Amino acid sequence: MQTLYRRLLTFLPRIGVKVLDLGPGAAVVFRRGDRTGVPVGQGAHLVAQGKGRYAVTSVGSDSWLVARGAKGRKATSVPFGATGARLLLDEAVSAEAEREFQLGAAHYLGAQHVAALLELNRVNCVFDVGANIGQYGKGLRRFGYKGRIVSFEPVSITFEKLQQAAESDPDWQVYNFALGREEAVQSIHIDWKSMNSLLPPSEYGKERYKRFAKGRTEEIEIRRLDDVMQKALEGIEDPRPYLKMDTQGFDMEVFAGAGERISEFVGMQSEVAALALYEGSPLMGEAIAAYEAAGFGVTGMYPVTREPATGRVVEFDCVMVRPGASGSAAG
């Protein structure tokens, strides 16, 4: 015998009220449009507008992934250490994309690490050397850094885009020259996408990147870091600068140009090479040894590029800090 509840659900559509029956003791009534019900876990439903098809995949004891489509997407939930966070991995990702996933995760984690270091060490001015079109500066703002940014980009067409990125940010300064060991005018290899360099490509670099066989050169100005620091830090009470370098093999020259004033930097990061892409650029061991000799200690190493065939890391983003710069003991 049909219950009063069931008879009511049958009657409602006759008077213009729509019913989405979710099972014993549960229903959704509405006047307009359509609704779709999808079971979620035990005793729960997802109610969505429209007639779209959805699939639900459990990704933990109390979490679900909801995807539009008849088949949906399968995901695996992986605990992120002891943080309480979980990482969702799409099971449809191919094995070929695994290294790209690793590099993407490294970039995100590296940016988070730098943001935390800037806050911990009370950094109020970031020197962004090799700024390209402003990706690093925009990333700093996205992760909550509110201090001054001073960016250096020597290539004229790239500098125009950097200016546009910084034009609405009153505490982001941009300069159209490079930094190095000494003042000079020198040719830079350009039209290598984001890999413009003052150094010629190595034999390994030519093999790795076909773009190195093309391109052209442009005359640029090079200045020393210690000569531009005073102007860059003007108006900042108790400056606590941080040095970021990404100059395609020229980082050690930039570092040398800081002279004795390198001691004023509370932290730094440099793209160090496990495999040399540029002729004359130092390898990772030499670069890190020089940075450590100046008083910095490694806090993180994040792969930037890998060889597709072997998986070997070509370059790392090396993040360093001067011990004791935060004024508190490390945990």
Side-chain angles (χ1 to χ4, degrees), residues 249-281:
F250 210 67
D251 286 13
M252 285 285 289
E253 298 298 300
V254 175
F255 188 80
E260 294 183 358
R261 296 201 68 173
I262 196 63
S263 63
E264 298 176 33
F265 288 87
V266 300
M268 60 162 286
Q269 69 187 91
S270 172
E271 197 166 86
V272 297
L275 300 168
L277 293 172
Y278 306 96
E279 198 67 47
S281 65

Side-chain angles (χ1 to χ4, degrees), residues 227-262:
D227 287 339
V228 302
M229 283 181 63
Q230 183 172 345
K231 181 179 179 181
L233 294 172
E234 277 182 3
I236 299 178
E237 186 177 349
D238 185 25
R240 297 181 62 81
Y242 178 88
L243 175 62
K244 167 265 177 184
M245 299 176 291
D246 182 1
T247 60
Q248 304 306 315
F250 210 67
D251 286 13
M252 285 285 289
E253 298 298 300
V254 175
F255 188 80
E260 294 183 358
R261 296 201 68 173
I262 196 63

Side-chain angles (χ1 to χ4, degrees), residues 42-61:
Q42 186 174 3
H45 285 77
L46 165 73
V47 177
Q49 289 185 330
K51 292 183 177 180
R53 301 185 68 179
Y54 297 85
V56 177
T57 303
S58 175
V59 291
S61 59

Side-chain angles (χ1 to χ4, degrees), residues 115-172:
L117 275 185
L118 298 184
E119 182 177 3
L120 176 65
N121 292 282
R122 307 187 304 284
V123 170
N124 48 25
C125 184
V126 173
F127 285 77
D128 173 22
V129 187
N132 198 249
I133 60 174
Q135 303 96 313
Y136 186 83
K138 288 190 281 190
L140 289 178
R141 294 299 191 223
R142 192 162 53 247
F143 282 100
Y145 173 71
K146 294 182 171 58
R148 181 172 299 174
I149 302 171
V150 185
S151 294
F152 302 87
E153 172 51 50
V155 179
S156 57
I157 191 169
T158 309
F159 179 74
E160 291 177 6
K161 296 179 181 178
L162 173 64
Q163 278 185 308
Q164 294 172 8
E167 62 185 358
S168 61
D169 191 326
D171 212 10
W172 187 352

Side-chain angles (χ1 to χ4, degrees), residues 31-328:
R31 293 293 301 271
R32 297 180 179 85
D34 293 291
R35 301 292 185 272
T36 302
V38 184
V40 178
Q42 186 174 3
H45 285 77
L46 165 73
V47 177
Q49 289 185 330
K51 292 183 177 180
R53 301 185 68 179
Y54 297 85
V56 177
T57 303
S58 175
V59 291
S61 59
D62 56 359
S63 302
W64 296 267
L65 174 67
V66 179
R68 184 189 296 273
K71 295 182 180 179
R73 301 173 69 177
K74 299 295 183 181
T76 301
S77 177
V78 181
F80 231 41
T83 63
R86 299 187 74 87
L87 178 67
L88 294 182
L89 299 178
D90 191 335
E91 292 181 357
V93 174
S94 65
E96 291 76 14
E98 176 64 20
R99 287 179 186 144
E100 288 301 317
F101 167 77
Q102 291 181 16
L103 292 178
H107 176 76
Y108 174 79
L109 294 173
Q112 288 277 17
H113 175 59
V114 169
L117 275 185
L118 298 184
E119 182 177 3
L120 176 65
N121 292 282
R122 307 187 304 284
V123 170
N124 48 25
C125 184
V126 173
F127 285 77
D128 173 22
V129 187
N132 198 249
I133 60 174
Q135 303 96 313
Y136 186 83
K138 288 190 281 190
L140 289 178
R141 294 299 191 223
R142 192 162 53 247
F143 282 100
Y145 173 71
K146 294 182 171 58
R148 181 172 299 174
I149 302 171
V150 185
S151 294
F152 302 87
E153 172 51 50
V155 179
S156 57
I157 191 169
T158 309
F159 179 74
E160 291 177 6
K161 296 179 181 178
L162 173 64
Q163 278 185 308
Q164 294 172 8
E167 62 185 358
S168 61
D169 191 326
D171 212 10
W172 187 352
Q173 303 174 9
V174 295
Y175 294 96
N176 188 202
F177 53 81
L179 297 179
R181 186 182 297 268
E182 57 187 24
E183 292 189 4
V185 174
Q186 187 173 329
S187 294
I188 187 171
H189 300 272
I190 65 173
D191 293 343
W192 287 351
K193 297 183 179 179
S194 62
M195 299 177 71
N196 301 327
S197 179
L198 282 153
L199 302 176
S202 66
E203 289 304 313
Y204 171 75
K206 292 176 186 177
E207 182 180 342
R208 176 82 169 83
Y209 291 107
K210 301 306 179 187
R211 71 188 73 166
F212 287 163
K214 302 178 182 179
R216 56 192 176 89
T217 61
E218 178 180 315
E219 294 290 297
I220 63 164
E221 178 188 1
I222 302 176
R223 298 179 62 180
R224 283 178 58 92
L225 178 55
D226 55 9
D227 287 339
V228 302
M229 283 181 63
Q230 183 172 345
K231 181 179 179 181
L233 294 172
E234 277 182 3
I236 299 178
E237 186 177 349
D238 185 25
R240 297 181 62 81
Y242 178 88
L243 175 62
K244 167 265 177 184
M245 299 176 291
D246 182 1
T247 60
Q248 304 306 315
F250 210 67
D251 286 13
M252 285 285 289
E253 298 298 300
V254 175
F255 188 80
E260 294 183 358
R261 296 201 68 173
I262 196 63
S263 63
E264 298 176 33
F265 288 87
V266 300
M268 60 162 286
Q269 69 187 91
S270 172
E271 197 166 86
V272 297
L275 300 168
L277 293 172
Y278 306 96
E279 198 67 47
S281 65
L283 288 177
M284 178 171 63
E286 179 185 347
I288 293 177
Y291 301 150
E292 289 180 332
F296 297 96
V298 176
T299 63
M301 294 282 286
Y302 301 92
V304 177
T305 51
R306 292 180 184 270
E307 286 185 332
T310 68
R312 290 191 303 173
V313 176
V314 179
E315 295 168 311
F316 286 93
D317 210 12
C318 178
V319 183
M320 310 184 80
V321 71
R322 195 176 294 282
S326 67
S328 60

